[in-house]
């Protein structure tokens, strides 16, 4: 157990995600909840009534004025506010964890990534919590260690049942969120594909609204410098998926790898040192270590592990596992996919 004083952390934005972060902070070793912030004063008492106890402020200006000692913030406001809030907190000298996506558009994402580079002593992190699933980290390790030889093609899909009727609010307003399924939820799978294969170089994509004013369903073809290509498919309007279900199937020169939220399996055609012939299956429970799993069916250990990594990065003076440069890469890919849906052309990914 470290004898260092806890990292005093404020949560900014007390909606669905902020309440969860506020509840989780006290279970992270060496982290303490210093303050709660939201533009809406009602959220302070609501959040305190379910457990997290810390002073409430209705702006970051008030937070900075009234908090004697603050080390870090977790920002869980809508993405159209990320640039302004994120940069203000960096300029105040704080370590900043920012919910995904980095921003609602590429211009804001670049400004955030630039600001992070100007403050190299401060830790920046972006909330790709699924990238903290130990099973998915292990899948990336095995793929890169050559378990199925050279990856040649993949098909990746994420489906859930969130939008089955007309919806309102910032999430469903392109100017505020940046789009629909892709930027609000599908970025987790894009990030995982980056963990597996690195950054794509060009994309072709199509999308359509079904019930809302943004895209509810989207398909893309992503190509890579090695010649690898893969299809990406996302919908939040498919009945029958009460929790998000992800599946990635990779075809390689020696076999296949299939990865879901719960297990991964490898089929090696001939078998080789360290990889058995035929199927081997691994369940996520073999890797989990989270001390607090809020929701085993969706994201639980990822939410814990990402805050634990943020705290350790601050302590160890190292970058977070997924920093704002990672956030910018995913934004560049997201932006290229959206441009392709608009132009119906093959679009190069900016880098
Ligand atoms: N990682 C995940 O699994 C996941 C899931 C859902 C949402 N998110 C992301 O988390 C962020 C928040 O989403 P949510 O669903 O919790 O939103 P929400 O609408 O439920 O809550 C947002 C809160 O932020 C407050 N707010 C808005 N602007 C503010 C500002 N400038 N300063 C202080 N407070 C402000 C609002 O009053 C509201 O209480 C978004 O970026 C979203 O994309 C991540």
């Amino acid at each position: 157990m470290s004898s260092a004083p806890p990292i005093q952390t404020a949560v900014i934005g007390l909606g669905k995600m902020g309440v969860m972060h506020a509840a989780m902070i006290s279970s992270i070793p060496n982290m303490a909840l210093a303050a709660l912030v939201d533009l809406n004063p009602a959220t302070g008492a609501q959040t305190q009534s379910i457990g997290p106890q810390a002073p409430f402020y209705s702006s970051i200006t008030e937070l900075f004025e009234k908090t004697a000692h603050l080390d870090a913030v977790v920002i869980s406001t809508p993405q159209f506010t990320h640039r302004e809030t994120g940069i203000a907190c960096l300029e105040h000298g704080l370590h900043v964890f920012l919910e995904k996506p980095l921003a609602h558009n590429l211009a804001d994402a670049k400004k955030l990534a630039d600001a992070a580079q100007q403050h190299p002593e401060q830790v920046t992190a972006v909330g790709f919590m699924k990238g903290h699933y130990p099973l998915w980290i292990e899948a990336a390790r095995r793929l890169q260690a050559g378990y199925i030889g050279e990856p040649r093609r993949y098909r990746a899909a994420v489906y859930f049942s969130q939008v089955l009727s007309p919806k309102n609010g910032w999430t469903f307003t392109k100017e505020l969120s940046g789009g629909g399924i892709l930027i609000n939820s599908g970025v987790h799978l894009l990030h995982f594909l980056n963990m597996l294969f690195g950054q794509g170089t060009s994309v072709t994509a199509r999308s359509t609204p079904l019930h809302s004013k943004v895209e509810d369903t989207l398909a893309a073809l992503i190509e890579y410098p090695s010649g690898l290509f893969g299809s990406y498919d996302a919908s939040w309007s498919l009945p029958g998926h009460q929790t998000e279900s992800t599946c990635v199937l990779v075809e390689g020169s020696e076999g296949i790898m299939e990865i879901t939220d719960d297990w991964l399996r490898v089929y090696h055609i001939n078998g080789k040192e360290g990889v058995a012939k035929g199927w081997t299956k691994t369940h996520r429970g073999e890797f989990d270590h989270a001390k607090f799993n809020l929701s085993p069916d969706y994201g639980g250990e990822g939410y814990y592990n990402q805050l634990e990594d943020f705290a350790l990065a601050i302590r160890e003076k190292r970058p977070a596992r997924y920093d704002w440069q990672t956030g910018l890469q995913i934004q560049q890919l997201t932006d290229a996919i959206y441009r392709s849906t608009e132009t119906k052309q093959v679009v190069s990914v900016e880098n």
Side-chain angles (χ1 to χ4, degrees):
M1 196 68 159
S2 164
S3 58
I7 299 159
Q8 296 293 334
T9 308
V11 176
I12 303 172
L14 301 173
K16 292 181 289 297
M17 295 309 292
V19 167
M20 188 210 61
H21 288 306
M24 196 163 278
I25 279 177
S26 58
S27 69
I28 305 291
N30 297 323
M31 248 194 177
L33 184 65
L36 299 166
V37 183
D38 198 292
L39 295 182
N40 176 0
T43 60
Q46 275 164 13
T47 307
Q48 288 157 345
S49 75
I50 59 165
Q53 296 305 311
F56 172 81
Y57 305 114
S58 56
S59 70
I60 57 170
T61 312
E62 195 187 356
L63 169 75
F64 295 163
E65 277 170 12
K66 296 192 176 162
T67 311
H69 183 87
L70 192 59
D71 300 300
V73 286
V74 170
I75 299 174
S76 41
T77 59
Q79 46 260 31
F80 66 91
T81 70
H82 285 185
R83 175 182 51 78
E84 189 181 352
T85 313
I87 292 177
C89 291
L90 265 191
E91 289 178 347
H92 196 69
L94 301 171
H95 305 286
V96 186
F97 176 99
L98 194 47
E99 260 303 341
K100 56 52 49 188
L102 188 56
H104 65 310
N105 62 35
L106 185 56
D108 274 23
K110 283 180 184 166
K111 292 212 166 78
L112 281 158
D114 285 350
Q117 284 188 325
Q118 285 159 27
H119 297 269
E121 307 293 305
Q122 290 156 245
V123 174
T124 64
V126 63
F128 291 122
M129 65 19 166
K130 290 187 156 203
H132 292 270
Y133 285 180
L135 181 75
W136 284 18
I137 292 170
E138 175 63 13
R141 187 194 71 76
R142 288 189 189 180
L143 196 80
Q144 281 145 22
Y147 269 50
I148 59 165
E150 189 67 33
R152 296 272 164 80
R153 183 181 92 94
Y154 68 77
R155 102 177 122 73
V158 59
Y159 302 130
F160 56 112
S161 318
Q162 184 184 337
V163 183
L164 300 170
S165 59
K167 301 268 183 185
N168 295 311
W170 67 262
T171 306
F172 302 95
T173 308
K174 187 168 173 65
E175 297 71 33
L176 301 180
S177 64
I181 169 73
L182 180 68
I183 196 153
N184 286 294
S185 303
V187 287
H188 289 296
L189 178 54
L190 282 187
H191 175 245
F192 182 43
L193 295 175
N194 267 43
M195 287 167 64
L196 294 173
F197 309 116
Q199 181 75 315
T201 43
S202 70
V203 298
T204 318
R206 296 292 183 275
S207 70
T208 185
L210 292 168
H211 311 289
S212 69
K213 294 195 182 71
V214 287
E215 89 282 356
D216 294 320
T217 183
L218 180 144
L221 182 77
I222 308 178
E223 296 180 80
Y224 296 79
S226 64
L228 170 75
F229 62 95
S231 64
Y232 169 98
D233 198 46
S235 175
W236 57 13
S237 300
L238 273 188
H241 295 269
Q242 293 319 311
T243 53
E244 202 171 287
S245 51
T246 311
C247 185
V248 179
L249 175 69
V250 190
E251 292 174 66
S253 54
E254 298 172 16
I256 64 173
M257 182 182 288
E258 197 175 9
I259 310 144
T260 72
D261 299 275
D262 292 322
W263 48 260
L264 82 88
R265 59 181 192 161
V266 167
Y267 184 90
H268 199 279
I269 296 168
N270 299 314
K272 63 180 181 181
E273 196 183 342
V275 189
K277 181 174 176 173
W279 288 109
T280 34
K281 188 169 181 181
T282 309
H283 195 267
R284 83 173 201 212
E286 294 173 39
F287 298 100
D288 277 3
H289 75 282
K291 294 178 190 65
F292 178 62
N293 192 335
L294 184 73
S295 56
D297 283 344
Y298 182 74
E301 69 270 34
Y303 290 127
Y304 178 94
N305 293 346
Q306 68 180 0
L307 285 186
E308 183 190 57
D309 176 68
F310 180 53
L312 284 172
I314 294 168
R315 279 277 172 265
E316 294 167 4
K317 300 190 193 310
R318 61 159 171 88
R321 188 183 277 271
Y322 309 121
D323 64 10
W324 291 2
Q325 299 305 322
T326 310
L328 176 60
Q329 277 197 354
I330 305 307
Q331 200 94 33
Q332 286 164 329
L333 190 54
T334 308
D335 178 72
I337 292 174
Y338 277 137
R339 281 189 286 128
S340 179
T341 63
E342 286 158 14
T343 61
K344 306 217 176 338
Q345 303 289 319
V346 179
V347 169
S348 297
V349 180
E350 197 180 296
N351 58 40

